[in-house]
Amino acid sequence: MRLLIFNQKTDLTDSGLGVAIDWITAFSRCVEKVYVITHEAGVVPTLPSVKILSIGKEKGYGRIQRFLEFYRLLLSTLSRNQIDGCFVHMVPIFAVLASPILKWKHIPMVQWYAHKETPWSLRVAHRLVNRIVTASKESFRLPSQKVVVTGHGIDTDRFIPPKQLNKLNKPFTILSVGRISPIKRYEILLKAVALVHKAGKECKVLLVGGTRTKRDEEYLQHLQMEVEQLKLGSYIQFVGPIPRHEVLYWYWKADIFVNLSDTDSVDKAVLEAMSCGLPSITSNISFQFMPRDVIQELLVPKGDVSALAKAIIRVSEWDPDYREQVCRRLRQIVIDQHDLNHFVHKVIQLFNCK
């Protein structure tokens, strides 16, 4: 099989969007050849069966030039190669633009989408593609019979637990990974940490991730002011963006992961943390698939600072054997429901069933 992939950004150094390279690599192990047309390219891997082509955002190309380059690369790839299927990673506008040509060539399209927003481009793409694949039923908000839930595609061979699951740091270390954005609601975590300290329990926070927009920058400044007001300067570390390959080591540095994103869909970073055997507190109701006893420990109401503080204290006081048992159960959930290899095989099967 020869697979064409449309992607937003292909860059090993991007801690968020770099996950696409995990997927591209996994697909390349299962098909004869992978051709990637990406909106933007940075540091890319050298894989013998993968060809990565950029439409030039990183070169400063304007919208019209990128539009023309997209069609040039698409037509060139199709004229020189027999393509059997097209996988669209987010960016539904690519599916819209390519649809007339791919339909003429009888090349099926599978669109990956996992976000609460439903822009016009997604609504149009939904009508044009053969299948929609998504992480969970909450991750795709349009009513559709085309949707196939595949899990999130987590590389459980890379995101593995440290040698000791039940050894805690001093002070107790909280981690959150992802873009610094208002949707992450980090101010709730900061206030909860202040309550934890008032209760006589010392802990620190590692916030891994960078900003992308002016609004994100303003939010980061707001968080820094909040840290000063709460007198938590010695306990909160804004790590900033990191290369994708370094994320694992930050998971290993932590005792607990906290995710308060207001998306109500399964968050990739939480699953990566779980795969690393890291207990993960969340207010995201989409994680109700976890065992009931685990939910009672780790799921907190949205915006409830006090409940979050109590959950942090509770997990910090877990018996070592109980902690290890929970951590291994969390990892197994990811392996069973969100493993990358299973995900790739499910997607390829959709092309085979065209």
Side-chain angles (χ1 to χ4, degrees):
M1 180 182 184
R2 291 172 176 260
L3 182 64
L4 174 63
I5 297 177
F6 295 146
N7 188 47
Q8 180 179 356
K9 185 178 182 180
T10 309
D11 186 356
L12 284 166
T13 66
D14 193 300
S15 58
L17 299 177
V19 67
I21 292 179
D22 296 348
W23 290 16
I24 291 166
T25 304
F27 275 117
S28 73
R29 292 194 292 261
C30 298
V31 301
E32 181 184 350
K33 189 77 174 179
V34 176
Y35 301 89
V36 180
I37 296 179
T38 183
H39 190 217
E40 180 179 359
V43 178
V44 297
T46 302
L47 300 168
S49 60
V50 176
K51 187 172 184 179
I52 297 174
L53 306 164
S54 173
I55 66 173
K57 183 180 179 183
E58 76 282 357
K59 299 173 185 177
Y61 289 1
R63 288 188 178 183
I64 294 176
Q65 193 171 2
R66 295 200 303 269
F67 174 83
L68 295 173
E69 187 69 0
F70 173 79
Y71 278 114
R72 187 187 73 79
L73 293 175
L74 176 61
L75 291 171
S76 174
T77 300
L78 295 179
S79 67
R80 297 175 182 177
N81 308 282
Q82 178 63 47
I83 301 297
D84 302 299
C86 177
F87 179 73
V88 187
H89 182 219
M90 297 298 285
V91 202
I93 190 62
F94 281 171
V96 176
L97 294 175
S99 178
I101 298 172
L102 296 184
K103 286 188 178 295
W104 175 56
K105 291 276 191 177
H106 303 288
I107 298 172
M109 282 191 292
V110 174
Q111 168 81 58
W112 164 268
Y113 195 84
H115 200 280
K116 70 175 183 178
E117 300 296 335
T118 56
W120 70 266
S121 57
L122 178 66
R123 294 173 182 272
V124 176
H126 168 255
R127 294 180 176 273
L128 299 173
V129 301
N130 297 77
R131 287 284 189 272
I132 300 281
V133 289
T134 192
S136 68
K137 64 181 182 179
E138 299 87 4
S139 299
F140 188 80
R141 305 296 172 90
L142 296 178
S144 174
Q145 294 183 340
K146 293 183 178 182
V147 174
V148 178
V149 175
T150 58
H152 228 309
I154 302 299
D155 189 348
T156 57
D157 294 327
R158 169 186 289 186
F159 291 102
I160 58 175
K163 292 181 179 179
Q164 290 184 298
L165 281 172
N166 54 11
K167 185 178 179 180
L168 300 183
N169 294 293
K170 291 185 179 180
F172 189 74
T173 302
I174 302 165
L175 174 69
S176 193
V177 175
R179 172 180 166 187
I180 301 292
S181 173
I183 200 170
K184 301 295 185 181
R185 304 194 302 173
Y186 283 133
E187 66 278 4
I188 296 173
L189 174 58
L190 298 180
K191 292 174 183 176
V193 168
L195 289 183
V196 171
H197 280 248
K198 282 186 179 180
K201 300 284 185 179
E202 191 176 47
C203 65
K204 69 175 183 179
V205 178
L206 305 173
L207 298 178
V208 175
T211 59
R212 289 185 190 162
T213 67
K214 182 179 179 180
R215 186 182 180 209
D216 292 347
E217 288 287 350
E218 292 171 350
Y219 180 63
L220 174 58
Q221 293 173 10
H222 166 74
L223 292 177
Q224 292 169 335
M225 291 175 60
E226 187 84 7
V227 169
E228 291 183 13
Q229 291 174 2
L230 294 172
K231 298 180 180 179
L232 293 174
S234 301
Y235 301 98
I236 310 296
Q237 181 180 352
F238 293 94
V239 177
I242 60 170
R244 174 71 177 163
H245 66 271
E246 293 182 8
V247 174
L248 172 65
Y249 303 104
W250 289 93
Y251 287 126
W252 284 2
K253 285 176 178 285
D255 300 307
I256 194 170
F257 188 85
V258 173
N259 177 275
L260 305 172
S261 294
D262 192 16
T263 62
D264 288 339
S265 59
V266 176
D267 193 290
K268 172 179 61 68
V270 179
L271 295 173
E272 289 177 351
M274 289 169 57
S275 183
C276 292
L278 193 59
S280 302
I281 295 177
T282 181
S283 58
N284 193 326
I285 59 173
S286 65
F287 281 89
Q288 291 186 0
F289 63 81
M290 293 191 295
R292 180 172 297 179
D293 60 321
V294 175
I295 289 176
Q296 291 174 347
E297 297 270 17
L298 300 176
L299 189 65
V300 298
K302 283 187 179 183
D304 193 328
V305 175
S306 177
L308 177 58
K310 290 176 182 177
I312 292 170
I313 293 172
R314 184 168 60 244
V315 174
S316 72
E317 295 175 346
W318 275 354
D319 174 80
D321 291 338
Y322 177 71
R323 176 185 172 87
E324 183 169 352
Q325 177 192 9
V326 172
C327 291
R328 296 197 183 281
R329 288 173 69 191
L330 293 175
R331 172 168 168 78
Q332 193 60 49
I333 289 171
V334 180
I335 292 172
D336 292 342
Q337 300 181 27
H338 297 276
D339 178 70
L340 177 57
N341 292 323
H342 296 164
F343 166 81
V344 166
H345 286 298
K346 287 177 184 177
V347 172
I348 291 174
Q349 187 60 39
L350 292 176
F351 288 116
N352 292 336
C353 294
K354 65 180 180 180

